[in-house]
Amino acid sequence: MKLLLASRNEGKIREIKTITEGRIEIISPLDLSLEVSILENGRSLKANAIKKALTYHKIAGMCTLGEDTGLEVDFLGGEPGVHSARYTNYGDVGNREKLLKKMGRGEERTARFRTVMALVLGEDWVEFFEGTIEGKIALEEKGNGGFGYDSIFIPAGYRETFAEMDEAEKNRISHRGKALKKVFGFLEREWEKLKDLCK
Ligand code: IMP
């Protein structure tokens, strides 16, 4: 089965390809040299996920998986949340710096990553999946792995940040890993209908 991934984020593409290896063939817009710019201005992760998936589905005519992820920080009332990608105009480095600065040394540091996935199988067939992981915001950046906010997020029950963790361990417990497990379950249940639709 083939799915087009509606994302140009290389960290995300790499992770999703690793998690789905041997189960689904993930094609990225980079593999197809598709240059599409999508304004992620939805008011929710779900709105952005469906916008990305429908846009690529229309262009490529393939079964398409869109996803949007946000880091929700309790001390900041759930921010940056749906605004995680554009928290500053300075990319991941600027975003992490701004977040650490706003948190200061405060003790309330609980947070979670939330991923919403939209699987578009046709113009009138869309399925949604969600995955979350609880954790806390570190006092400072640690680790060189991962991407985005990984170096400032410590999952609950761990001492190290996602960026210090073995990639396979992050994928086993992460928001994205959990959402993808639900996608796998769905694909297995609907296999008879999908095997010809998504080849
Ligand atoms: P988007 O889902 O591509 O819009 O990403 C939202 C923001 O969250 C971007 O700044 C990403 O780099 C960041 N992000 C997405 N997924 C993860 C993750 O698994 N770990 C850390 N940061 C992430």
Side-chain angles (χ1 to χ4, degrees):
M1 167 168 311
K2 266 190 204 157
L3 291 183
L4 175 61
L5 179 63
S7 173
R8 299 180 61 85
N9 179 320
E10 290 183 33
K12 212 183 249 188
I13 295 170
R14 193 183 56 243
E15 257 185 36
I16 292 180
K17 283 192 173 180
T18 303
I19 299 171
T20 54
E21 204 177 343
R23 289 179 183 254
I24 306 170
E25 187 183 346
I26 293 288
I27 314 287
S28 84
L30 310 178
D31 297 329
L32 301 179
S33 303
L34 279 180
E35 294 227 7
V36 182
S37 151
I38 300 173
L39 192 57
E40 293 183 32
N41 59 355
R43 295 185 61 177
S44 65
L45 297 175
K46 190 172 179 180
N48 281 336
I50 186 70
K51 186 175 187 183
K52 292 186 239 186
L54 280 175
T55 304
Y56 276 99
H57 175 75
K58 231 181 211 164
I59 293 168
M62 294 175 64
C63 293
T64 303
L65 184 67
E67 75 113 273
D68 204 42
T69 296
L71 176 60
E72 301 170 350
V73 180
D74 294 330
F75 176 67
L76 303 176
E79 284 292 306
V82 72
H83 306 113
S84 294
R86 288 151 294 117
Y87 198 36
T88 65
N89 291 322
Y90 305 105
D92 287 337
V93 177
N95 292 345
R96 291 191 300 263
E97 271 175 12
K98 177 175 174 184
L99 188 53
L100 285 181
K101 207 165 171 191
K102 283 205 160 200
M103 299 296 291
R105 311 286 295 176
E107 287 198 355
E108 191 192 344
R109 308 193 76 84
T110 49
R112 71 208 50 78
F113 274 114
R114 186 184 304 280
T115 287
V116 175
M117 294 189 170
L119 179 60
V120 175
L121 302 157
E123 272 174 30
D124 50 7
W125 190 4
V126 183
E127 301 284 341
F128 292 96
F129 308 90
E130 190 170 317
T132 57
I133 175 143
E134 298 289 331
K136 64 181 181 191
I137 303 300
L139 288 167
E140 60 198 7
E141 291 202 32
K142 276 194 178 159
N144 300 313
F147 66 100
Y149 295 92
D150 276 349
S151 57
I152 60 168
F153 182 82
I154 303 174
Y158 289 77
R159 284 166 170 266
E160 68 263 60
T161 66
F162 262 163
E164 292 178 289
M165 219 177 241
D166 180 60
E167 201 177 89
E169 183 66 358
K170 177 189 173 191
N171 291 341
R172 197 178 65 76
I173 62 169
S174 78
H175 45 304
R176 190 165 293 109
K178 286 178 184 164
L180 280 171
K181 259 187 215 140
K182 294 180 187 170
V183 173
F184 294 151
F186 168 79
L187 295 178
E188 270 164 33
R189 287 195 300 281
E190 298 290 339
W191 175 247
E192 275 310 312
K193 286 186 209 149
L194 296 177
K195 65 178 194 257
D196 292 325
L197 196 61
C198 306
K199 16 182 219 206

